[in-house]
Amino acid sequence: MEALIPVINKLQDVFNTVGADIIQLPQIAVVGTQSSGKSSVLEALVGRDLLPRGTGVVTRRPLILQLVHVDPEDRRKTSEENGVDGEEWGKFLHTKSKIYTDFDEIRLEIEAETERVSGNNKGITDEPIHLKIFSPHVVNLTLVDLPGITKVPVGDQPKDIELQIKDLIVKHISNPNSIILAVTAANTDMATSEALKVAREVDPDGRRTLAVVTKLDLMDAGTDAMDVLMGRVIPVKLGLIGVVNRSQLDINNKKTVADAIRDEYAFLQKKYPSLANRNGTKYLARTLNRLLMHHIRDCLPELKTRINVLAAQYQSLLSSYGEPVEDQSSTLLQLITKFAAEYCHTIEGTAKYIETTELCGGARICYIFHETFGRTLESVDPLGGLTTIDVLTAIRNATGPRPALFVPEVSFELLVKRQVKRLEDPSLRCVELVHEEMQRIIQHCSNYSTQELLRFPKLHDAIVEVVTSLLRKRLPVTNEMVHNLVAIELAYINTKHPDFADACGLMNNNIERRNRMRELPSSVPREKSFKGPGGQSLSPTELPPPEGEGPKAAGGGPQGDQDGGTGNWRGMLKKGDEGMGGDRSMLQTSNPASPQRGHAVNLLDVPVPVSRKLSSREQRDCEVIERLIKSYFLIVRKNIQDSVPKAVMHFLVNHVKDSLQSELVGQLYKAGLLDDLLTESEDMAQRRNEAADMLKALQKASQVIAEIRETHLW
């Protein structure tokens, strides 16, 4: 199981080559406040002085420290291959193959790399420094040294330095594959430990937290850390380990780490003899090594699954980027053909990528035809915008100077054409909606169906322009056809239409039956009686004058009858609930002048009654015209509702489908355009290379994990 940690180190190296942090590998994150002894603990684990020291925030970038144990034979072999003179050496990721044998140079390089990225204003950054230490005196570990927790900005530190550091720490210790090494000084109250507080935020159960108590030798006289080390103050599931650090005086006097470890052992034997074998730097190193190995073993199954999933995703991503273009003519023709096919499939509903969030393509066109357009036509009132006065005016105008005995057919045609004309605007709007949807299909195909087009932005723009131009050319043709469909209906009012003839017959029967049952109003004299004294039928010209009327009233003859019927139709121009009623004599008494007196009369100056009731004949005439209009309008609306979608499909949708590929080939498949159209976007080649490198790293990582199974380490 000891070999599991080198495996993780190898995986770390694999992903370092691509600069990716997509896999959260098992590691130990070191957390503590400033001056809590973090650096001393790490240097004790390494056995050498290699970390920068000073006041304030010294660690301003995460330091990923990989300790690699090398056997003497491996050390000699590595020394011969790399020309290393010494048993310990270090390597930085950012310096590639450069080897450091002087640990003072390692410390200076850490300081220089920190200044290069973080600047010199004491700011911090989350970009890590990768350092690998090879030594026969270390155990295999992967540690992450994080900036020390601080509360108050010092010097020129940023005002939000506390928040910056906490966010950086939480980011690393939130990794579920990490072990948290919480460092706290023994001469402070454990209950106020910031390191344990932060660790508990992300690991409330303490399943992956190990506490380290430093500076055991600096506690107040008469006190000890026995209760703390026994876990009686703050219990930690992975345990508490006490260590003794080198003081600043020891560091200034160049006291070695090896000497410090010997002095630490002596101190523990003297001060805590019963706990000496479970504390100290060496015990800490062995414990961390054991915890990390077990943690790696537990994380490997999930790690393997994660690597396989990412490999599949990057394989798909790389495929979408496509291979570098070799045969330009073939590539261009394939892309044009594929786009045209996907465009047609989207209309037909057979596209590979079916939209699930909204209607698209042919489905939306169908919705426009049968829902949007259909409901709009059905909402058009056959008599909308047509008032009774309009009907009476049309009847009056159609009779000319002669009064009519029957309702003139011309008035019906005049009014029904006016109503049919109202169907043109919804029909043209239907064409516009279908045109807009066919424009949207272009973007749909670009986003979902032919991602290869994203490689070639100029080709994509050219295809969009060609299709848009084709749709633009077909729009006026389709509009003209739809306009003609309405014009055809207006050109000939077919009163012999079977549906219309049936409706007229049924309507006449209903009207006659209702007229027989209707109680005739007393205010219309000519309709009180249609029988003579002997019971014989009388024509309108033979009706006797009503009683009480003088010769003037009776002398009106047929004209007087007409005046009592439709002759006073202008009375309805004034609206109101109270009016003159329907008595003809009352309407005539309002005229100040009479043609019989020999005076010229200006009809426009004749006073108009406020309102009156319609006579029976007026009611009958209006009802006939309105019913005829409604019946014929419904026939025409049914025709328009059926013919407009057919016209749109033929002149716009099907024409574009049939001619799209030939139009694209004719416009774009030209030798002089190949180089320009197949120019990749600037970042496409870079993204393809990055995806290829990441896929290679993931495949290599998968092989490493497979080797673990073969060697029965897992």
Side-chain angles (χ1 to χ4, degrees):
M1 192 183 303
E2 180 70 23
L4 285 177
I5 297 178
V7 168
I8 294 299
N9 291 339
K10 188 181 294 186
L11 290 177
Q12 184 71 59
D13 294 340
V14 168
F15 292 115
N16 287 343
T17 58
V18 293
D21 193 23
I22 59 173
I23 296 291
Q24 295 179 319
L25 297 174
Q27 56 192 10
I28 300 172
V30 184
V31 182
T33 59
Q34 288 185 21
S35 304
S36 62
K38 284 192 308 89
S39 298
S40 297
V41 171
L42 290 174
E43 288 180 338
L45 294 174
V46 176
R48 301 294 293 266
D49 295 329
L50 77 161
L51 298 178
R53 291 182 176 274
T55 58
V57 181
V58 178
T59 303
R60 296 188 287 128
R61 291 179 61 184
L63 174 65
I64 298 179
L65 181 61
Q66 293 177 267
L67 305 183
V68 181
H69 177 79
V70 291
D71 294 329
E73 294 182 1
D74 295 335
R75 181 175 58 82
R76 284 194 298 269
K77 182 178 179 181
T78 305
S79 299
E80 293 173 358
E81 293 176 353
N82 300 323
V84 177
D85 184 15
E87 63 177 7
E88 298 176 303
W89 68 92
K91 292 175 65 175
F92 286 98
L93 176 64
H94 64 273
T95 59
K96 305 302 181 184
S97 59
K98 183 177 180 179
I99 295 177
Y100 296 82
T101 56
D102 186 348
F103 282 81
D104 289 335
E105 290 185 15
I106 292 177
R107 180 173 63 254
L108 294 175
E109 181 60 31
I110 293 174
E111 294 175 351
E113 181 65 11
T114 300
E115 293 287 340
R116 184 183 68 82
V117 176
S118 302
N120 54 10
N121 64 344
K122 301 297 182 181
I124 65 170
T125 180
D126 61 352
E127 184 179 344
I129 299 175
H130 294 268
L131 173 61
K132 186 179 291 187
I133 300 296
F134 300 85
S135 172
H137 308 300
V138 299
V139 295
N140 292 313
L141 287 176
T142 300
L143 303 157
V144 182
D145 184 21
L146 298 169
I149 301 172
T150 185
K151 289 293 184 181
V152 181
V154 178
D156 58 351
Q157 288 180 350
K159 294 183 179 180
D160 62 340
I161 188 68
E162 177 187 2
L163 183 60
Q164 290 185 27
I165 292 176
K166 183 174 181 180
D167 291 343
L168 178 58
I169 291 173
V170 171
K171 176 183 175 181
H172 282 80
I173 65 177
S174 296
N175 174 11
N177 294 334
S178 67
I179 295 175
I180 305 172
L181 187 64
V183 180
T184 304
N187 55 358
T188 60
D189 190 350
M190 288 289 291
T192 62
S193 172
E194 288 292 335
L196 290 174
K197 177 184 176 182
V198 173
R200 188 164 292 180
E201 290 179 4
V202 298
D203 181 33
D205 297 333
R207 296 181 180 276
R208 52 188 184 89
T209 301
L210 175 67
V212 175
V213 182
T214 62
K215 304 182 181 181
L216 290 176
D217 56 332
L218 299 182
M219 297 187 67
D220 292 340
T223 62
D224 59 32
M226 183 66 71
D227 290 341
V228 173
L229 296 177
M230 294 292 291
R232 297 169 184 163
V233 178
I234 296 181
V236 181
K237 290 190 177 181
L238 294 185
L240 279 130
I241 299 177
V243 297
V244 177
N245 300 335
R246 290 181 299 167
S247 65
Q248 188 60 45
L249 179 62
D250 294 335
I251 296 172
N252 295 339
N253 293 334
K254 306 296 184 182
K255 183 177 182 179
T256 65
V257 175
D259 292 339
I261 290 176
R262 282 194 296 270
D263 292 344
E264 175 192 53
Y265 179 75
F267 175 82
L268 291 174
Q269 288 290 347
K270 178 180 178 181
K271 190 71 175 178
Y272 306 99
S274 61
L275 302 177
N277 60 341
R278 286 180 290 164
N279 290 277
T281 301
K282 289 188 175 181
Y283 180 77
L284 174 62
R286 292 195 301 270
T287 302
L288 290 175
N289 178 262
R290 174 177 54 82
L291 290 175
L292 187 57
M293 283 190 299
H294 286 284
H295 196 61
I296 292 171
R297 182 191 61 190
D298 296 338
C299 294
L300 274 178
E302 182 181 351
L303 192 63
K304 178 179 181 295
T305 302
R306 172 69 173 161
I307 289 175
N308 291 338
V309 169
L310 285 174
Q313 292 176 352
Y314 273 91
Q315 181 65 61
S316 176
L317 181 63
L318 187 60
S319 299
S320 69
Y321 292 153
E323 297 294 333
V325 178
E326 296 180 358
D327 187 347
Q328 290 184 330
S329 298
S330 175
T331 301
L332 179 60
L333 191 58
Q334 288 177 2
L335 290 175
I336 289 176
T337 303
K338 185 172 183 179
F339 178 88
E342 290 297 336
Y343 190 92
C344 296
H345 291 162
T346 303
I347 294 176
E348 296 166 358
T350 58
K352 181 179 179 181
Y353 297 92
I354 299 297
E355 184 67 59
T356 58
T357 58
E358 62 177 353
L359 292 179
C360 178
R364 182 177 286 271
I365 293 175
C366 178
Y367 183 87
I368 292 171
F369 286 157
H370 302 292
E371 297 293 333
T372 306
F373 179 58
R375 290 181 180 177
T376 301
L377 289 188
E378 291 173 1
S379 67
V380 178
D381 183 5
L383 302 176
L386 195 64
T387 63
T388 304
I389 192 65
D390 294 333
V391 176
L392 291 177
T393 301
I395 295 174
R396 185 75 173 182
N397 288 334
T399 62
R402 297 175 300 278
L405 297 177
F406 306 101
V407 177
E409 186 175 343
V410 177
S411 62
F412 161 71
E413 289 196 7
L414 174 67
L415 294 172
V416 81
K417 286 181 179 180
R418 170 179 166 180
Q419 297 306 99
V420 170
K421 184 68 175 176
R422 298 168 60 212
L423 299 176
E424 183 173 3
D425 287 343
S427 301
L428 294 176
R429 177 57 180 162
C430 176
V431 178
E432 183 181 351
L433 291 175
V434 174
H435 178 266
E436 291 175 357
E437 177 56 27
M438 296 191 74
Q439 286 276 17
R440 291 179 68 248
I441 296 175
I442 302 175
Q443 191 63 36
H444 173 82
C445 293
S446 301
N447 292 340
Y448 298 100
S449 303
T450 53
Q451 293 187 5
E452 294 91 337
L453 285 179
L454 300 179
R455 295 176 56 193
F456 311 108
K458 292 186 178 180
L459 175 60
H460 175 267
D461 294 342
I463 289 177
V464 171
E465 178 61 31
V466 171
V467 181
T468 302
S469 176
L470 178 60
L471 290 172
R472 193 184 305 119
K473 287 190 297 185
R474 298 307 302 173
L475 185 59
V477 178
T478 310
N479 282 336
E480 182 66 20
M481 182 60 195
V482 171
H483 173 77
N484 287 337
L485 289 175
V486 179
I488 289 170
E489 297 291 346
L490 295 173
Y492 180 65
I493 304 301
N494 183 16
T495 55
K496 289 294 185 179
H497 192 285
D499 295 340
F500 185 68
D502 294 343
C504 288
L506 181 62
M507 179 191 67
N508 290 334
N509 293 336
N510 291 338
I511 292 176
E512 291 176 1
R513 182 164 53 251
R514 181 163 36 185
N515 286 339
R516 288 195 300 268
M517 298 176 62
R518 180 183 298 163
E519 180 178 352
L520 297 178
S522 59
S523 60
V524 183
R526 71 176 178 85
E527 296 192 5
K528 285 184 178 180
S529 175
F530 288 91
K531 301 292 183 178
Q536 71 276 15
S537 298
L538 298 179
S539 67
T541 58
E542 297 173 334
L543 290 176
E547 294 182 2
E549 288 194 17
K552 182 173 67 173
Q559 183 64 39
D561 178 42
Q562 180 68 16
D563 290 342
T566 58
N568 291 310
W569 57 274
R570 289 169 56 89
M572 286 182 298
L573 291 173
K574 299 290 186 178
K575 295 183 178 180
D577 294 334
E578 296 180 352
M580 294 292 295
D583 196 316
R584 182 181 57 188
S585 61
M586 294 177 62
L587 293 176
Q588 287 181 340
T589 57
S590 64
N591 294 337
S594 173
Q596 293 181 358
R597 296 181 182 180
H599 298 287
V601 178
N602 185 352
L603 295 179
L604 297 179
D605 294 336
V606 175
V608 178
V610 177
S611 66
R612 66 173 178 79
K613 293 173 61 177
L614 292 180
S615 67
S616 297
R617 180 171 180 177
E618 288 173 337
Q619 291 178 353
R620 183 179 68 250
D621 291 347
C622 287
E623 185 176 359
V624 168
I625 291 293
E626 288 176 353
R627 284 175 174 261
L628 290 174
I629 291 173
K630 184 174 182 181
S631 176
Y632 195 82
F633 180 87
L634 294 179
I635 294 172
V636 175
R637 185 173 72 182
K638 183 178 180 181
N639 294 341
I640 294 295
Q641 190 170 352
D642 178 65
S643 59
V644 167
K646 292 178 178 178
V648 174
M649 287 298 297
H650 176 72
F651 286 92
L652 181 62
V653 179
N654 290 342
H655 188 280
V656 171
K657 281 173 52 183
D658 297 339
S659 60
L660 178 59
Q661 181 166 353
S662 60
E663 190 77 12
L664 288 172
V665 172
Q667 295 287 337
L668 303 179
Y669 192 66
K670 300 177 181 179
L673 299 177
L674 290 177
D675 291 336
D676 186 51
L677 293 178
L678 294 181
T679 300
E680 286 189 320
S681 59
E682 296 179 358
D683 60 338
M684 182 58 67
Q686 179 182 353
R687 285 189 287 173
R688 185 192 298 110
N689 293 334
E690 291 176 352
D693 293 341
M694 181 58 69
L695 179 61
K696 188 182 298 183
L698 290 167
Q699 291 172 343
K700 189 173 182 180
S702 183
Q703 293 176 358
V704 171
I705 294 180
E707 293 173 0
I708 300 176
R709 282 186 174 275
E710 294 176 0
T711 55
H712 305 288
L713 295 175
W714 176 14

